[in-house]
Amino acid sequence: MRRGYAALALLALIWGASFLFIKVAVQDVSPAMMVLLRAAAGLATIALILAARRQSPFPPGTRQRLLPFVTIAIFGSAWFGFGFGELSISSALASLLNATTPLWTAVFAFWVTPAERPSGLNYVGVAVGFVGTGILIAPDLIGQPLRATTIGTLAVAGAAACYAVAALVQRRRLRGVSPLQVAFWQLAFTVPLALVVAFPTIGTIHLHPASVLSIIALGAGGSGIAYLLYYYMMNTLGATRATTVTFLLPVTAVFWGATLLNESLTVPILVGMVVILLGVFLTSRSRPQRAPAVTENRGVA
C-alpha cells in the first residue's frame, strides 16, 4: 500500500507538468497530431523497458483481452479533449477540470465495480466536486454559452469522464495484468487510432525546439513512465483511489502555468480549485471497516 501511494506522489509530479507541455505542443501541431506523437513516443518507451527486462508484451489470454485493450485505448485517448481544450483555456483550468476524474469514477463505480462501491461520504464528495466544476464553467456560460472557452472547458471535462471509464474497464477486465503490458497495448492501439484522425493535419506541422521537447516529455514521461505508475496504482489502490492522483495535479499545474506561462489566477479558478479539491478529498475517503462481531463463549455447565 505504501508503494502505491509513493507511486501516486511521483505520478502527480509527472502529470502536474503535462498541462504545460500540452499547452506548448498544440501551438505547433494539431491536438490529434499531438496525441499521435505522444502515443508513439510513449509506446517506444514502454517497448524499450520491456526489452530491457526481457518481458513479453503478451499477457496470458491476450486474444480474450483485446477488446478491453481497445476500449481503454479509445477512452484513454482523451488527450484529444485536453489538446483541443487547451487551445482556448489555460493549463491551470484544464488541470482543475482533470481533477473531476475521481468524481466520475465514483459515479460509474456504483454499477461497474460493486465491490469497490463508494460510501455515502464519497458521494457527498462527488456532489461537492461537480459544484466546483460548475463554478469554473459558470463565467463562460453567462451571456455567451457557445464561446470557444466554454467548448474547450466542456471538452476537457468530457475527457476527464473518459479517463474514468478507461480506469474502471482496466480495473474490471484487466486486473492483475502487468502494468507494462497494459500500457503497451493501450498505446499500441492508440497510435493507429490517432493516425487516422491526425492524417489530414500533417501538412500543418511547424515544429520548434520547445514543442519537440514538450512532445518527447509527454510521450516518454507523461505516457510511458506515467502509465506504469498509474496501472500499478490500479492494481494496488483500486480505481477510485488511483484516480485521486488528480487531487495533487491542480496545485503543481497552477504553479507551472503561473510561473512559466504567465497565466492569470482568477477568483473563479481559485474558488473552483478549493471546492473541487474538497470534493476529491471526500471522494477518496475509505469506507470505514466494521469491527468483526465478537461471540461470547459462556462455556457449558
Side-chain angles (χ1 to χ4, degrees), residues 155-187:
V156 174
C162 288
Y163 282 154
V165 173
L168 289 170
V169 170
Q170 189 279 337
R171 187 63 177 165
R172 178 85 181 252
R173 301 294 301 277
L174 298 172
R175 183 180 305 187
V177 179
S178 164
L180 272 171
Q181 294 169 329
V182 176
F184 176 86
W185 283 100
Q186 176 176 350
L187 292 169

Coordinates of all heavy atoms in Angstrom, one line a residue, residues 155-187:
A155 N -14.9 20.2 -23.3 CA -14.1 19.2 -24.0 C -13.2 18.5 -22.9 O -13.0 17.3 -22.9 CB -13.3 19.8 -25.1
V156 N -12.6 19.4 -22.1 CA -11.7 18.8 -21.1 C -12.4 18.1 -20.0 O -12.0 17.0 -19.5 CB -10.8 20.0 -20.4 CG1 -10.0 19.4 -19.3 CG2 -9.9 20.6 -21.5
A157 N -13.6 18.6 -19.6 CA -14.4 17.9 -18.6 C -14.9 16.5 -19.2 O -14.9 15.5 -18.4 CB -15.7 18.7 -18.3
G158 N -15.2 16.5 -20.5 CA -15.6 15.2 -21.1 C -14.4 14.2 -21.1 O -14.6 13.0 -20.9
A159 N -13.2 14.8 -21.3 CA -12.0 13.9 -21.3 C -11.8 13.3 -20.0 O -11.4 12.1 -19.9 CB -10.8 14.8 -21.8
A160 N -12.0 14.1 -18.9 CA -11.9 13.6 -17.6 C -12.9 12.4 -17.3 O -12.5 11.4 -16.7 CB -12.1 14.7 -16.5
A161 N -14.1 12.5 -17.9 CA -15.0 11.4 -17.7 C -14.6 10.2 -18.5 O -14.7 9.0 -18.0 CB -16.4 11.9 -18.2
C162 N -14.0 10.4 -19.7 CA -13.4 9.3 -20.4 C -12.3 8.5 -19.7 O -12.2 7.3 -19.7 CB -12.9 9.8 -21.8 SG -14.2 10.3 -22.9
Y163 N -11.5 9.3 -19.0 CA -10.4 8.7 -18.2 C -11.0 7.8 -17.1 O -10.5 6.7 -16.8 CB -9.6 9.8 -17.5 CG -8.6 10.4 -18.4 CD1 -8.1 11.7 -18.1 CD2 -8.0 9.8 -19.5 CE1 -7.2 12.4 -18.9 CE2 -7.1 10.4 -20.3 CZ -6.7 11.7 -20.0 OH -5.8 12.3 -20.8
A164 N -12.1 8.2 -16.5 CA -12.8 7.4 -15.5 C -13.3 6.1 -16.1 O -13.1 5.0 -15.5 CB -13.9 8.2 -14.9
V165 N -13.8 6.1 -17.3 CA -14.3 4.9 -17.9 C -13.1 3.9 -18.2 O -13.2 2.7 -17.9 CB -15.0 5.2 -19.3 CG1 -15.4 3.9 -20.0 CG2 -16.3 6.0 -19.0
A166 N -12.0 4.5 -18.7 CA -10.9 3.7 -19.0 C -10.3 3.0 -17.7 O -9.9 1.9 -17.7 CB -9.8 4.5 -19.7
A167 N -10.3 3.8 -16.6 CA -9.8 3.3 -15.4 C -10.7 2.1 -14.9 O -10.2 1.1 -14.4 CB -9.8 4.4 -14.3
L168 N -12.0 2.2 -15.0 CA -12.9 1.2 -14.5 C -12.8 -0.1 -15.4 O -13.0 -1.2 -14.9 CB -14.3 1.7 -14.4 CG -14.5 2.7 -13.2 CD1 -15.9 3.4 -13.3 CD2 -14.4 2.0 -11.9
V169 N -12.7 0.1 -16.7 CA -12.5 -1.0 -17.6 C -11.2 -1.8 -17.2 O -11.2 -3.0 -17.2 CB -12.5 -0.6 -19.1 CG1 -12.1 -1.7 -20.0 CG2 -13.8 -0.1 -19.5
Q170 N -10.2 -1.1 -17.0 CA -8.9 -1.7 -16.6 C -9.1 -2.5 -15.3 O -8.7 -3.6 -15.1 CB -7.8 -0.7 -16.4 CG -6.4 -1.3 -16.2 CD -6.1 -1.7 -14.8 OE1 -6.7 -1.2 -13.8 NE2 -5.2 -2.6 -14.6
R171 N -9.8 -1.9 -14.3 CA -10.0 -2.5 -13.0 C -10.9 -3.7 -13.1 O -10.7 -4.7 -12.4 CB -10.6 -1.4 -12.0 CG -10.7 -1.9 -10.6 CD -9.3 -2.2 -10.0 NE -9.5 -2.6 -8.6 CZ -8.5 -3.1 -7.9 NH1 -7.3 -3.4 -8.5 NH2 -8.6 -3.5 -6.6
R172 N -11.9 -3.7 -14.0 CA -12.8 -4.7 -14.1 C -12.3 -5.9 -15.0 O -12.5 -7.1 -14.6 CB -14.2 -4.2 -14.7 CG -15.3 -5.2 -14.9 CD -16.1 -5.5 -13.7 NE -17.1 -6.5 -13.9 CZ -18.4 -6.2 -14.0 NH1 -18.8 -5.0 -13.8 NH2 -19.2 -7.2 -14.2
R173 N -11.7 -5.6 -16.1 CA -11.4 -6.6 -17.1 C -9.9 -6.9 -17.2 O -9.5 -8.0 -17.7 CB -11.8 -6.1 -18.5 CG -13.3 -5.8 -18.6 CD -14.1 -7.1 -18.4 NE -13.8 -8.1 -19.4 CZ -14.3 -8.1 -20.7 NH1 -15.2 -7.1 -21.0 NH2 -13.9 -9.0 -21.5
L174 N -9.0 -6.1 -16.6 CA -7.6 -6.3 -16.8 C -6.8 -6.3 -15.4 O -5.6 -6.1 -15.3 CB -6.9 -5.2 -17.6 CG -7.5 -5.1 -19.1 CD1 -6.9 -3.9 -19.8 CD2 -7.1 -6.4 -19.9
R175 N -7.6 -6.6 -14.4 CA -7.0 -6.7 -13.0 C -5.9 -7.8 -13.0 O -6.1 -8.9 -13.4 CB -8.0 -6.9 -12.0 CG -7.5 -6.9 -10.6 CD -8.6 -7.2 -9.6 NE -9.8 -6.3 -9.7 CZ -10.8 -6.2 -8.9 NH1 -10.8 -7.1 -7.8 NH2 -11.8 -5.4 -9.1
G176 N -4.8 -7.4 -12.5 CA -3.7 -8.4 -12.3 C -2.7 -8.5 -13.5 O -1.7 -9.1 -13.4
V177 N -3.1 -7.9 -14.6 CA -2.2 -7.9 -15.8 C -1.1 -6.9 -15.5 O -1.3 -5.8 -14.9 CB -3.0 -7.5 -17.1 CG1 -2.0 -7.4 -18.3 CG2 -4.1 -8.4 -17.3
S178 N 0.1 -7.2 -15.9 CA 1.3 -6.4 -15.7 C 1.1 -5.0 -16.2 O 0.6 -4.8 -17.3 CB 2.5 -7.0 -16.4 OG 3.6 -6.0 -16.5
P179 N 1.4 -4.0 -15.4 CA 1.2 -2.6 -15.8 C 2.0 -2.3 -17.1 O 1.5 -1.5 -18.0 CB 1.8 -1.8 -14.7 CG 1.7 -2.6 -13.5 CD 1.8 -4.0 -14.0
L180 N 3.1 -2.9 -17.3 CA 3.9 -2.8 -18.6 C 3.1 -3.3 -19.8 O 3.0 -2.6 -20.8 CB 5.2 -3.5 -18.5 CG 6.4 -2.8 -17.9 CD1 7.6 -3.8 -17.7 CD2 6.8 -1.6 -18.8
Q181 N 2.4 -4.4 -19.6 CA 1.7 -5.0 -20.7 C 0.4 -4.2 -21.0 O 0.1 -4.0 -22.2 CB 1.3 -6.4 -20.4 CG 2.5 -7.4 -20.3 CD 2.2 -8.7 -19.7 OE1 1.3 -8.8 -18.9 NE2 2.9 -9.7 -20.2
V182 N -0.3 -3.7 -20.0 CA -1.5 -2.9 -20.2 C -1.1 -1.6 -20.9 O -1.7 -1.2 -21.9 CB -2.1 -2.6 -18.8 CG1 -3.3 -1.6 -19.1 CG2 -2.6 -3.8 -18.2
A183 N 0.0 -0.9 -20.4 CA 0.4 0.3 -21.1 C 0.8 0.1 -22.5 O 0.5 0.9 -23.4 CB 1.6 0.9 -20.3
F184 N 1.5 -1.0 -22.8 CA 2.0 -1.3 -24.1 C 0.8 -1.4 -25.1 O 0.8 -0.8 -26.2 CB 2.8 -2.6 -24.2 CG 3.2 -3.1 -25.5 CD1 4.4 -2.6 -26.1 CD2 2.4 -4.0 -26.3 CE1 4.8 -3.0 -27.4 CE2 2.8 -4.4 -27.5 CZ 4.0 -3.9 -28.1
W185 N -0.2 -2.2 -24.7 CA -1.3 -2.5 -25.6 C -2.2 -1.2 -25.7 O -2.8 -1.0 -26.8 CB -2.2 -3.7 -25.1 CG -1.5 -4.9 -25.5 CD1 -0.7 -5.7 -24.6 CD2 -1.4 -5.6 -26.8 NE1 -0.2 -6.8 -25.3 CE2 -0.6 -6.7 -26.6 CE3 -2.0 -5.3 -28.0 CZ2 -0.4 -7.6 -27.7 CZ3 -1.7 -6.1 -29.1 CH2 -0.9 -7.3 -28.9
Q186 N -2.4 -0.5 -24.7 CA -3.2 0.7 -24.8 C -2.5 1.7 -25.8 O -3.2 2.2 -26.7 CB -3.3 1.5 -23.4 CG -4.1 2.8 -23.6 CD -4.3 3.5 -22.3 OE1 -4.1 2.9 -21.2 NE2 -4.8 4.7 -22.3
L187 N -1.2 1.9 -25.7 CA -0.5 2.8 -26.6 C -0.5 2.2 -28.0 O -0.5 2.9 -29.0 CB 0.8 3.1 -26.1 CG 0.9 4.0 -24.8 CD1 2.3 4.0 -24.2 CD2 0.4 5.4 -25.1

